[in-house]
Amino acid sequence: MRLFLTCLIFFAHLASAECYVVGDLKGYSTRAHEGYQISEDGISSGKFILELNGKSSSITPNNMKCDQVGSTTLLCQHVRADGETTIETWAVYPSAGKVLFTKSITGYGSFNGGNLFVGEIKGICD
């Protein structure tokens, strides 16, 4: 019974939609055309809308399919038949006011590589 109640509370939390505006992403990137050297990078001018809503989760702007995989974590992916694959994770830490973003890119030749950025929660969606 205790396990049932724990699962019910967990899934009820997943079912409730939350939405955050995030930005000022800073961190590191690596790309094939740079010999996979790690360099400082960021997306300081862009803002993103993260909607945590189970299977209907999304990142705007973004056209990837996203799924909520934790109470404040999204897994987004874009996979093509020709082998081009992009996978992103977004983890929101409301009590710290932070967001963590990772990205892995394969099948894009010189653009293959990855990112690890930390950003700021700018607000809650209306």
Side-chain angles (χ1 to χ4, degrees), residues 93-115:
Y93 302 95
S95 63
K98 300 289 184 183
V99 62
L100 180 68
F101 166 73
T102 66
K103 184 173 195 170
S104 179
I105 304 165
T106 59
Y108 289 86
S110 66
F111 292 103
N112 289 343
N115 305 66

Side-chain angles (χ1 to χ4, degrees), residues 56-110:
S56 298
S57 296
S58 64
I59 304 292
T60 304
N62 192 325
N63 63 351
M64 299 176 124
K65 179 189 178 314
C66 297
D67 291 313
Q68 186 173 353
V69 294
S71 62
T72 58
T73 306
L74 297 182
L75 174 63
C76 305
Q77 59 182 321
H78 182 254
V79 180
R80 292 178 32 149
D82 63 3
E84 292 179 352
T85 304
T86 304
I87 297 172
E88 295 181 353
T89 61
W90 294 83
V92 181
Y93 302 95
S95 63
K98 300 289 184 183
V99 62
L100 180 68
F101 166 73
T102 66
K103 184 173 195 170
S104 179
I105 304 165
T106 59
Y108 289 86
S110 66

Side-chain angles (χ1 to χ4, degrees), residues 29-70:
S29 292
T30 183
R31 295 285 181 264
H33 69 271
E34 297 169 340
Y36 292 101
Q37 294 295 312
I38 295 174
S39 60
E40 288 190 33
D41 197 356
I43 309 171
S44 58
S45 63
K47 286 198 171 94
F48 298 87
I49 307 293
L50 272 76
E51 185 174 355
L52 298 151
N53 191 15
K55 295 285 184 187
S56 298
S57 296
S58 64
I59 304 292
T60 304
N62 192 325
N63 63 351
M64 299 176 124
K65 179 189 178 314
C66 297
D67 291 313
Q68 186 173 353
V69 294

